[in-house]
Amino acid sequence: MPHDHHDHDHAHALLPPDPALRVKALETILTEKGLIDPAALDEIIDTYENRIGPRNGAHVVARAWSDPAFRAALLEDATAVVSELGYYGRQGEHMVAVENTEDTHNMVVCTLCSCYPWPLLGIPPAWYKSDAYRARAVREPRKVLADFGVTLPEDTAVRVWDSTAEVRYLVIPQRPAGTEGLDEAALMDLVTRDSMIGTGLALRP
Amino acid sequence: MSRVHDMGGRFGDGPVQPEPETEVFHADWHPRALAVTLACGSLDQWNIDTSRHARERLAPKDYAAFSYYEKWLAGLADMLVDKGVLTPEELSSGHAAGPSPLADRKLTADAVTGVLARGGPADRPAQIAATFARGDRVRTRRHAHNAFVDGGHTRLPDYAAGATGRIVRLHGHHVLPDAAAHGLGDRPEPVYAVAFAASELWARPEHPRDEVVLDLWQSYLEPAT
């Protein structure tokens, strides 16, 4: 069997030790070689800082709460449904929506790296990428929930989804009681990023 | 034996530290590291599985010491040299020795929105029939290893190796990371969501009804009796 022979390559160690200088060095070399357009970098950053974030996901959840046909279609084929709203793209090519109920609470992790549905939730938070979350979410999800101040009813099962392939999961949190009269915009304000990862619950009005 | 990135179920990492939704990046260089990495992806010299493996094969001491975007930068620098896009001398000196023959592939600012919106779907047409159906009981490979390359990339975590679960969903035919990461082609095959009882995976599960679901390729699985 061939061996993965790259184990001892450390080209990255040739760059400056300080990470800010490391990025700058790479950007400089690549720009000089004609491989990078600094204006394209600004455009990418603006996209993930200002245009793509968890409000996209909140929009999907609020609509699922208020429109039963939309909710059914979302649970059937989330990729098609979110694409129609314009939320298709890098790291969201294969979406699956999973719904929290009295019976089951869903939670998402990527134990091998930090896979995350960028078009719906933006860039993952630091804790999602942390060793602690990646290590613990699958073995002790209830203790991890406690770190977020969340306690589930004793008879609710926890189902943790480990994103080991290119499929990205969106948790549809339970709609809070007392929200019957709220429109989609008001419902969106109750949907937090963490509630769509499953480490939080939707806010109460 | 798995690598340091394969940390699902590990003990000793301490509490998770929640943070507000408004915090996207934590240092000025983080968004730059993200953008440089994405822009280099457009040069089409590697795929997502190659880039994951580049981070995974960092020396364990580096993987453990580096922050998230430091891992990205290290994996990126290693791939750029591996693929001959940059030379070690250019990395050391901080300057280009000359223009690149790949310059016509440069991602331009006006193309960014389109490229990000198009993404890179992993599904492929394939002849291999799905041999499992929803509800079937399956067992994963006994060891979480790459079947083609010793020490190579795989997406079966160590904690779920040799475990018995049940098929809950078929995702279609997707590129096989174990092959794609090593330039061995896409080799698409069925991918399933497989649910495992927590009691099957952990010595002391928190609750008798808890489950963990993993997305697993057909070649990782065999029928369980």
Side-chain angles (χ1 to χ4, degrees), chain A:
Chain A
M1 176 185 278
H3 181 68
D4 181 20
H5 59 279
H6 299 296
D7 277 354
H8 302 290
D9 290 351
H10 297 299
H12 63 89
L14 299 168
L15 289 165
D18 176 66
L21 296 179
R22 226 176 284 176
V23 189
K24 209 170 174 53
L26 269 180
E27 187 182 335
T28 303
I29 304 166
L30 290 161
T31 304
E32 288 175 1
K33 289 191 86 67
L35 296 173
I36 268 191
D37 171 9
L41 304 189
D42 293 339
E43 189 69 19
I44 293 170
I45 292 166
D46 184 49
T47 302
Y48 291 112
E49 264 183 343
N50 302 314
R51 290 183 236 156
I52 296 182
R55 293 308 86 201
N56 291 355
H59 179 208
V60 173
V61 170
R63 185 164 291 189
W65 282 349
S66 27
D67 179 347
F70 179 89
R71 175 181 155 274
L74 182 71
L75 291 170
E76 179 67 31
D77 184 353
T79 312
V81 169
V82 303
S83 298
E84 229 162 89
L85 293 175
Y87 304 144
Y88 179 88
R90 197 181 175 99
Q91 285 301 308
E93 295 92 345
H94 308 282
M95 286 302 311
V96 169
V98 292
E99 186 179 41
N100 286 348
T101 62
E102 291 295 325
D103 190 60
T104 306
H105 178 87
N106 295 280
M107 207 169 133
V108 186
V109 64
C110 172
T111 63
L112 295 173
C113 43
S114 301
C115 298
Y116 192 78
W118 291 11
L120 288 169
L121 300 187
I123 297 295
W127 60 258
Y128 186 86
K129 302 180 281 202
S130 70
D131 292 4
Y133 187 70
R134 288 168 54 190
R136 293 177 53 215
V138 282
R139 183 171 46 79
E140 47 183 26
R142 290 160 196 270
K143 290 198 181 76
V144 170
L145 286 170
D147 290 344
F148 287 84
V150 174
T151 311
L152 298 175
E154 180 50 36
D155 52 356
T156 300
V158 176
R159 188 177 246 204
V160 182
W161 300 79
D162 188 354
S163 302
T164 40
E166 301 307 332
V167 180
R168 302 288 169 263
Y169 293 90
L170 177 75
V171 175
I172 308 175
Q174 281 190 280
R175 180 171 175 163
T179 58
E180 292 72 17
L182 298 185
D183 64 10
E184 203 174 284
L187 289 172
M188 269 182 72
D189 290 339
L190 307 178
V191 184
T192 64
R193 173 196 62 201
D194 294 4
S195 74
M196 295 182 281
I197 304 171
T199 54
L201 307 176
L203 304 175
R204 293 181 179 280

Side-chain angles (χ1 to χ4, degrees), chain B:
Chain B
M1 191 62 215
S2 66
R3 290 175 186 265
V4 62
H5 72 280
D6 183 2
M7 56 181 71
R10 183 174 76 180
F11 285 92
D13 283 293
V16 179
Q17 312 279 352
E19 65 180 6
E21 213 170 277
T22 46
E23 287 184 39
V24 181
F25 297 107
H26 294 78
D28 289 346
W29 62 272
H30 287 180
R32 220 69 195 159
L34 169 85
V36 169
T37 307
L38 294 190
C40 287
S42 290
L43 302 173
D44 207 22
Q45 300 300 294
W46 52 77
N47 57 46
I48 190 166
D49 300 302
T50 324
S51 60
R52 286 198 186 116
H53 187 56
R55 292 165 201 155
E56 294 168 5
R57 76 183 196 218
L58 292 171
K61 65 177 168 44
D62 286 343
Y63 192 95
F66 285 170
S67 66
Y68 178 76
Y69 287 114
E70 285 179 272
K71 292 185 191 93
W72 277 39
L73 287 177
L76 176 64
D78 290 348
M79 283 191 295
L80 287 166
V81 171
D82 267 0
K83 304 294 179 188
V85 180
L86 300 183
T87 63
E89 292 69 32
E90 287 175 313
L91 284 189
S92 309
S93 71
H95 288 286
S100 170
L102 299 172
D104 59 347
R105 301 187 183 194
K106 176 171 69 181
L107 177 66
T108 54
D110 59 338
V112 166
T113 303
V115 165
L116 297 179
R118 269 195 302 283
D123 55 334
R124 299 284 185 274
Q127 301 301 319
I128 300 176
T131 54
F132 303 115
R134 198 183 156 120
D136 284 358
R137 281 167 56 78
V138 291
R139 185 178 303 108
T140 56
R141 257 181 202 161
R142 184 157 168 244
H143 300 290
H145 72 288
N146 183 307
F148 311 109
V149 179
D150 194 19
H153 180 68
T154 190
R155 296 294 280 182
L156 172 63
D158 201 46
Y159 76 82
T164 299
R166 70 176 200 290
I167 305 281
V168 294
R169 194 174 185 123
L170 171 61
H171 292 305
H173 292 70
H174 286 203
V175 172
L176 178 65
D178 306 52
H182 300 284
L184 302 173
D186 284 350
R187 305 200 195 194
E189 53 177 73
V191 176
Y192 305 89
V194 186
F196 300 87
S199 58
E200 170 75 3
L201 303 174
W202 317 115
R204 289 182 174 76
E206 288 185 315
H207 191 282
R209 289 181 53 229
D210 288 355
E211 288 183 329
V212 181
V213 186
L214 291 89
D215 291 327
L216 300 171
W217 280 260
Q218 185 158 288
S219 60
Y220 295 1
L221 305 170
E222 61 178 29
T225 45

